[in-house]
Amino acid sequence: MSELRTAQRLQLYYWMSLTRAFDDRMVAMWKQGRGVGGTFSQRGHEAVSVGAATALADDDVVAPLHRDLGSYLVRGLSPERVFSNLLGKADGVTRGRDANLHGMGDLSLGIIGFVSHIGLSMPVALGAAMAFQQRNERRAALTFIGDGGSSTGVWHETLNMAAVVAAPLVVIVENNQYAYSTPLNEQMAITDIADRAAGYGMPGIVVDGNDVEAVHHVTSAALDRARGGGGPTLIEAKTMRMLGHAIHDGAEYVPAELLERWKKRDPLAVYRARLTADGVGDDELRWHDDRAKSVVDAAVKHAEAAPLPDPSKLLDGVYAQ
Amino acid sequence: MTATNFGFSVVDELPVGRTLTYLEAIKEALTEEMRLDESVCVLGEDVGGDFGGAFKVTHGLAAEFGNARVRNTPLCEQAFVGAATGMALMGLRPVVEMQFADFITSAFDSIVQFAATTHYRWGGAVPWVIRAPSDGGISSGPFHSQNPEAWFIHTPGLKVVAPATPADAKGLLVSAIRDPNPVIYFEAKPLYRSVRGEVPANGHVVPLGSASIARSGGDISIITYGVQVHQALEAAELLADEGIDVEVIDLRSLKPLDWDAIRTSVIKTGKVLVVHSANRLAGFGAEITAQIAEELFDDLDAAPRRMGAPDTPVPFSPPLERAYRPDAASIEMAARNLARA
Ligand SMILES: Cc1ncc(C[n+]2csc(CCOP(=O)(O)OP(=O)(O)O)c2C)c(N)n1
Ligand SMILES: [Mg+2]
């Protein structure tokens, strides 16, 4: 495992800070009634989505889900386009066609957008990996799934098939303790979802999902292995969903002491403390935080002013020409 | 399953040019497209190796193109259709074989939620084809005989075709493979070896969205597709002896639909009977007759009629299945009644 240089560590910090600033603004705006439809808070997932996406090579492909805002940003979707997407604007990633973070695909950035039906990105990422394999390209595909999503049938179908064909695929389970209101003990009878990997014949790795460098390193290693023909890896990142399932959800069902415990492990605060301990100055970290906030300010301003889609375009694009 | 001709006459046209069976025509389309375009590949259960699929449609492809392009998959329709979508997004043109059209429901989410919506939502093109061996009449029971086309016609973002002749089987598959959208290709398995016809050797293309006039006539229009084209033609010959002149429109492509062909025929005859093997209730015939009623009401001399299967699962035993399916005899009767209406 190669050590990260300070510049790389500051990059990780910046992307997490940007994700947090974006999320904070989004949540605040939706609470004020300035949002459109619902949306999903990202709080608690910054280290997973950023640590994983920063491990990708430029020509790898990622299929992120609804807690992976950091991945979209790291891959290069501009905060303007993402915020416009949230507000249903004509210049959003989906041009007003898909809601919140859904459907934010852009193949020029190696991003495959998701559908609501949980689990369905898994085989699509597998297929991308199989395409690389078929053409003898040294590329890999990465996708995410929740602890709830790990109960679906398509999870099983995909992981089995990925192992059988030795696809260059990495799957990260974001185990955030809940699927909507359902806690882990009502979702599964095991402690570590990564244990299931053995049943498919692939490595299963548990990682601290609140440690951005740890996520980055295990994802890098798994992607390297995949590109080298070593087959798929299942990574379980343990974390906590710190707010409700979606914006309307107060999550009263989550015990307060559980949240308290995880709050002490806030991924952004933990990383800030580590960088500080390693000698990075507070000014520098604050400079990154300020930059993140101003980028988000500009994105919100842009999105609120952006035009809504033209209803006469309703029928456009159902089919590729 | 052996391909018997249960209930089907062998339409063995005398060869003028080169003739192929329906099955050979499908295989020829696959072979030619795979030779032409490296991105075309095949995947599904049992399609590879020396085996070549439950019906042998892909037999020989692995030998010519290798196991990387003719992939056996585990038994996991949701995953391998989803994988085809990922492959297609990365620039391949996968042709997926459903072992039977009936099992396409196991992949329903991957098809209708993911593949069909992707281009509209974010512009990702999904150029795959699913070949779905459909239809019955050969005592295959409730789960090896189905005609699920209506679900997919109902789904925005998909295209749906259902060839009736070897030439169309080839030409439509070539078009489906070249199309940049997800296409469900219903191949009528009772026709695999029972139908033989002339098929152009190279570069034969039948565009999606164009119907053909299988038989020209002036008294009534039978609008149909797939297996029922042959049954309708047989009925038309019998009715011709009674002086009833039947036009048979073979839709070939269900989505996009060749509305011009339907309109022209309906205006000419004023009487329409839509026939399909699928069950009648909320079947494609309901949509076609509704459109005709809305747009061509003044051209009609009688209410449009529909024939399809009853609202039951597909029964297994021969007398039950014969009672279940439209066939030449029941079409003849319905068409005669309509002609006299
Ligand atoms: C197939 C399917 N069923 C139900 C839902 C509704 N739903 C959306 S998110 C969610 C919980 C997901 O939990 P998990 O997979 O753990 O991901 P998390 O939201 O916790 O990140 C549910 C039930 C859905 N989107 N898809
Ligand atoms: Mg969860």
Side-chain angles (χ1 to χ4, degrees):
Chain A
M1 181 159 79
S2 64
E3 284 297 310
L4 293 170
R5 287 173 285 108
T6 304
Q8 291 173 304
R9 302 180 83 192
L10 286 172
Q11 277 297 310
L12 293 179
Y13 181 81
Y14 169 71
W15 288 120
M16 282 209 293
S17 181
L18 179 64
T19 306
R20 175 65 57 87
F22 192 114
D23 190 49
D24 284 348
R25 276 302 289 278
M26 176 176 79
V27 170
M29 280 177 61
W30 260 249
K31 295 226 151 111
Q32 294 159 5
R34 285 161 72 197
V36 177
T39 192
F40 298 95
S41 165
Q42 309 293 311
R43 188 171 274 259
H45 283 256
E46 298 88 348
V48 183
S49 63
V50 168
T54 49
L56 292 161
D58 281 351
D59 62 353
D60 290 338
V61 159
V62 62
L65 295 193
H66 57 292
R67 306 266 177 227
D68 304 316
L69 173 62
S71 295
Y72 295 103
L73 299 173
V74 167
R75 285 304 277 185
L77 273 189
S78 73
E80 281 88 352
R81 280 179 80 199
V82 179
F83 225 103
S84 275
N85 205 66
L86 294 169
L87 296 182
K89 295 302 178 78
D91 68 348
V93 187
T94 69
R95 297 153 11 265
R97 281 147 157 79
D98 208 344
N100 48 66
L101 302 184
H102 284 71
M104 295 203 310
D106 185 335
L107 292 179
S108 73
L109 301 171
I111 304 172
I112 293 172
F114 71 94
V115 298
S116 279
H117 293 60
I118 290 190
L120 289 189
S121 287
M122 287 185 68
V124 177
L126 166 62
M130 287 167 62
F132 304 151
Q133 189 180 48
Q134 185 169 322
R135 294 188 298 232
N136 287 315
E137 295 166 347
R138 236 189 118 77
R139 301 165 70 186
L142 169 70
T143 191
F144 299 87
I145 185 85
D147 44 285
S150 79
S151 300
T152 61
V154 71
W155 150 285
H156 168 73
E157 289 191 15
T158 305
L159 291 180
N160 178 62
M161 184 167 164
V164 169
V165 306
L169 175 71
V170 177
V171 175
I172 300 184
V173 195
E174 297 178 83
N175 181 349
N176 63 3
Q177 317 301 318
Y178 282 85
Y180 205 159
S181 77
T182 304
L184 285 180
N185 68 324
E186 292 179 38
Q187 191 71 245
M188 62 195 70
I190 56 174
T191 308
D192 291 332
I193 300 171
D195 285 352
R196 294 186 190 157
Y200 299 112
M202 68 174 76
I205 299 164
V206 175
V207 66
D208 177 356
N210 285 22
D211 179 341
V212 68
E213 291 192 10
V215 173
H216 179 87
H217 285 306
V218 295
T219 311
S220 292
L223 287 168
D224 280 346
R225 182 171 174 275
R227 291 186 211 101
T233 301
L234 179 65
I235 296 169
E236 178 185 4
K238 306 243 192 213
T239 185
M240 178 71 200
R241 194 193 74 206
M242 296 305 291
L243 289 174
H245 166 66
I247 207 78
H248 63 274
D249 175 26
E252 294 80 6
Y253 48 82
V254 178
E257 57 283 4
L258 182 63
L259 282 173
E260 261 327 297
R261 231 184 310 138
W262 281 94
K263 205 169 170 185
K264 298 195 184 84
R265 300 177 50 196
D266 177 86
L268 192 62
V270 165
Y271 200 42
R272 196 172 218 287
R274 187 186 308 168
L275 292 174
T276 307
D278 289 348
V280 178
D282 196 51
D283 286 356
E284 179 138 42
L285 294 172
R286 199 156 338 118
W287 184 84
H288 285 289
D289 292 334
D290 290 346
R291 184 174 145 227
K293 285 199 186 77
S294 63
V295 165
V296 170
D297 284 345
V300 172
K301 214 167 141 188
H302 168 94
E304 289 199 307
L308 285 160
D310 175 354
S312 74
K313 301 260 164 59
L314 170 71
L315 303 183
D316 289 5
V318 176
Y319 292 94
Q321 296 305 320
Chain B
M1 201 194 78
T2 54
T4 63
N5 294 331
F6 219 121
F8 288 84
S9 50
V10 175
V11 186
D12 219 342
E13 291 166 290
L14 284 181
V16 182
R18 188 191 62 133
T19 68
L20 296 178
T21 63
Y22 187 92
L23 185 147
E24 289 163 346
I26 296 169
K27 186 198 281 200
E28 186 168 277
L30 283 172
T31 309
E32 284 181 14
E33 289 305 290
M34 289 185 81
R35 284 182 189 153
L36 217 62
D37 180 353
E38 273 224 316
S39 66
V40 180
C41 55
V42 166
L43 68 159
E45 291 154 9
D46 307 297
V47 298
D50 291 334
F51 189 68
F55 294 100
K56 303 294 172 201
V57 175
T58 59
H59 187 244
L61 295 184
E64 178 169 353
F65 301 105
N67 295 334
R69 282 177 73 194
V70 185
R71 280 187 187 253
N72 268 346
T73 67
L75 200 164
C76 52
E77 280 76 9
Q78 185 86 295
F80 67 70
V81 169
T85 300
M87 295 164 87
L89 286 169
M90 294 300 113
L92 295 180
R93 290 184 178 265
V95 182
V96 177
E97 178 173 301
M98 277 295 144
Q99 201 152 72
F100 288 80
D102 312 61
F103 302 119
I104 204 166
T105 49
S106 296
F108 203 59
D109 263 359
S110 280
I111 297 168
V112 309
Q113 304 295 357
F114 206 111
T117 64
T118 294
H119 194 268
Y120 186 70
R121 293 179 305 122
W122 56 272
V126 181
W128 58 232
V129 179
I130 295 178
R131 293 180 30 242
S134 61
D135 218 328
I138 47 181
S139 290
S140 299
F143 307 111
H144 295 73
S145 307
Q146 294 172 18
N147 292 286
E149 66 269 16
W151 295 330
F152 301 103
I153 298 166
H154 193 65
T155 301
L158 297 178
K159 297 188 178 182
V160 181
V161 299
T165 67
D168 288 346
K170 180 176 178 186
L172 283 173
L173 185 51
V174 168
S175 290
I177 291 170
R178 295 180 188 178
D179 195 90
N181 295 285
V183 182
I184 316 265
Y185 176 95
F186 285 105
E187 51 194 54
K189 62 182 178 292
L191 303 181
Y192 273 153
R193 294 177 173 86
S194 67
V195 173
R196 174 176 280 283
E198 267 184 62
V199 179
N202 267 304
H204 175 55
V205 174
V206 173
L208 305 184
S210 95
S212 77
I213 301 173
R215 185 185 197 282
S216 177
D219 294 337
I220 76 168
S221 303
I222 297 182
I223 296 174
T224 185
Y225 51 92
V227 163
Q228 297 300 340
V229 170
H230 302 280
Q231 300 299 309
L233 288 170
E234 212 175 303
E237 287 312 313
L238 298 169
L239 290 165
D241 297 340
E242 301 172 22
I244 299 170
D245 190 19
V246 176
E247 177 148 297
V248 178
I249 301 292
D250 174 0
L251 289 176
R252 306 197 289 193
S253 182
L254 310 183
K255 188 181 192 177
L257 181 65
D258 188 346
W259 176 244
D260 285 347
I262 293 174
R263 188 202 299 114
T264 306
S265 183
V266 171
I267 289 172
K268 177 162 80 167
T269 65
K271 290 182 174 178
V272 194
L273 173 64
V274 182
V275 183
H276 50 56
S277 299
N279 35 329
R280 214 176 86 111
L281 183 68
F284 192 39
E287 175 63 29
I288 296 173
T289 49
Q291 284 192 35
I292 290 170
E294 278 180 337
E295 295 187 35
L296 301 170
F297 192 74
D298 294 339
D299 297 291
L300 290 172
D301 299 324
R305 295 186 187 177
R306 289 177 290 150
M307 285 179 80
D311 191 22
T312 72
V314 187
F316 163 65
S317 184
L320 293 178
E321 195 181 14
R322 271 197 295 273
Y324 170 87
R325 298 175 59 74
D327 61 9
S330 59
I331 295 171
E332 183 197 350
M333 199 145 61
R336 184 185 296 114
N337 287 339
L338 177 59
R340 291 178 181 163

